[in-house]
Amino acid sequence: MFARSPVLNQSGPTEFVFHVFTAVPEFQALLFLLFLLLYSMTLCGNTAIVWVVCTRSSLRTPMYFFLCNLSSVEISYTTVVVPSLMLSNILGARKPIPLAGCGAQMFFFLTLGGADCFLLAVMAYDRYVAICHPLHYTLIMTQKLCVQMVVCAVGLALLLSLQLTSLIFTLPFCGHRREINHFLCDVPPVLRLACADIRVHQAVLYVVSILVLTVSFLLICVSCVFITSAILRIRSAEGRLRAFSTGSSHLTVVLLQYGFCALVYLRPQSSSSVDADHQFALVYTFVAPLLNPLIYTLKNKDVKGALRNAVLRKAASEAN
């Protein structure tokens, strides 16, 4: 689709360095501890969801299958970002990252981020079928279809990421060592370092962003309209409340993920603020993966009950 060039054979620089948050050692230590805490909480929360869904037979339904896959993607997504952020950035070590390493980080970051967005759209469709067609839910959302939807979500994200990353790294980068004004190898800050015409590359970035963000978000919005219409027809107040609770949880995650990603990738680069991009990126790389398990568990009686029973059984077995 695009002309490709081996990353290591470019005539540009062989390495990049990340921009540090602060040069004050005391603040560096505080930031290190803060992000270490957030990363640990993200790992624990999402790992708990994966564990409880895989071990509890009562949670082996399409909704929890998709939630388990979303949590797995969130773990990998955050793990791609955190090592470079904490070790090379916050501690001020200024360790360079090779060009190939930067390309690898960009590829996995875009793949997992795209898969995250597609999975949220898949989960919205699952909720649409469950609420609007409850009698046919088990006939429509078969195990085979669920697996196919997850594979397609990850496969499409991987394909788009591969093409975009390959295109970006055909560009020449002036100088031996360039500073990326960001805490990871994301597309917009890397494009700013190119010493060539990047209009085609920016156009491709917008097309990919529209496919990943706008199309998926529109599908979610359409699902939400049908879901809201179906909920309003439910006669039981308790039933309406439970349905709205499930939908509001999903909508909160969607707005966090899609909203801040759109501000970075769909905004014209000429009007973008580097500092604002840093803050937005922190939301969808740290805050959203941390809030996902909290949102889905605090409002979900099944998951809360399964986690509570698992903890009680574990405590009882240790006491004996």
Side-chain angles (χ1 to χ4, degrees):
M1 183 175 180
F2 301 120
R4 297 182 62 182
S5 170
V7 172
L8 294 176
N9 292 334
Q10 296 188 64
S11 58
T14 56
E15 57 190 20
F16 296 100
V17 292
F18 295 111
H19 179 75
V20 295
F21 277 91
T22 177
V24 180
E26 290 79 7
F27 288 158
Q28 288 178 352
L30 288 175
L31 286 174
F32 179 84
L33 293 175
L34 173 62
F35 285 108
L36 179 62
L37 175 63
L38 292 176
Y39 179 54
S40 301
M41 293 172 64
T42 300
L43 283 182
C44 292
N46 285 285
T47 302
I49 289 180
V50 173
W51 174 69
V52 75
V53 170
C54 292
T55 57
R56 299 291 295 177
S57 58
S58 60
L59 299 182
R60 290 174 187 171
T61 64
M63 182 178 75
Y64 296 114
F65 172 74
F66 294 133
L67 180 57
C68 179
N69 281 275
L70 180 67
S71 292
S72 300
V73 169
E74 298 281 19
I75 292 171
S76 305
Y77 180 61
T78 309
T79 301
V80 167
V81 177
V82 168
S84 64
L85 171 64
M86 293 179 61
L87 298 179
S88 301
N89 193 328
I90 294 176
L91 292 181
R94 302 284 286 176
K95 294 180 180 178
I97 179 172
L99 198 62
C102 185
Q105 186 186 48
M106 181 183 291
F107 168 72
F108 287 112
F109 177 74
L110 294 177
T111 298
L112 294 166
D116 194 293
C117 292
F118 290 140
L119 282 174
L120 289 174
V122 168
M123 292 174 70
Y125 175 74
D126 171 71
R127 291 299 84 204
Y128 157 74
V129 176
I131 294 175
C132 299
H133 304 283
L135 299 179
H136 300 92
Y137 180 71
T138 54
L139 297 177
I140 297 174
M141 300 302 296
T142 62
Q143 182 179 10
K144 180 180 179 181
L145 178 62
C146 293
V147 172
Q148 289 175 340
M149 293 174 78
V150 170
V151 171
C152 288
V154 176
L156 181 57
L158 190 150
L159 177 63
L160 293 173
S161 173
L162 179 63
Q163 299 294 337
L164 182 57
T165 305
S166 300
L167 181 65
I168 297 299
F169 283 92
T170 60
L171 286 168
F173 298 98
C174 304
H176 170 67
R177 179 179 294 183
R178 297 297 304 272
E179 180 182 87
I180 299 176
N181 200 350
H182 210 290
F183 57 83
L184 75 151
C185 290
D186 202 358
V187 177
V190 171
L191 276 179
R192 293 188 185 103
L193 301 180
C195 51
D197 188 353
I198 60 172
R199 285 177 294 181
V200 173
H201 302 75
Q202 288 181 329
V204 173
L205 173 61
Y206 288 136
V207 171
V208 173
S209 300
I210 288 171
L211 288 173
V212 175
L213 297 173
T214 307
V215 174
S216 299
F217 184 70
L218 288 176
L219 291 175
I220 293 174
C221 290
V222 171
S223 297
C224 288
V225 170
F226 283 107
I227 289 171
T228 302
S229 176
I231 290 174
L232 293 176
R233 292 197 299 268
I234 297 177
R235 296 181 179 181
S236 167
E238 182 180 352
R240 286 197 302 269
L241 182 62
R242 182 175 181 179
F244 270 123
S245 177
T246 303
S248 63
S249 300
H250 186 72
L251 191 59
T252 303
V253 175
V254 166
L255 292 176
L256 276 175
Q257 185 73 20
Y258 285 85
F260 286 97
C261 285
L263 289 173
V264 172
Y265 295 104
L266 294 178
R267 187 177 49 172
Q269 292 299 310
S270 58
S271 65
S272 63
S273 165
V274 174
D275 292 335
D277 285 353
H278 288 179
Q279 297 166 7
F280 297 151
L282 284 173
V283 172
Y284 59 75
T285 56
F286 271 97
V287 178
L290 173 63
L291 291 181
N292 281 355
L294 296 177
I295 291 172
Y296 282 114
T297 55
L298 291 178
K299 288 192 173 184
N300 191 303
K301 294 180 180 179
D302 295 333
V303 176
K304 284 194 296 184
L307 284 172
R308 184 172 55 251
N309 293 336
V311 171
L312 291 176
R313 283 199 307 272
K314 182 69 175 177
S317 63
E318 291 181 353
N320 295 332

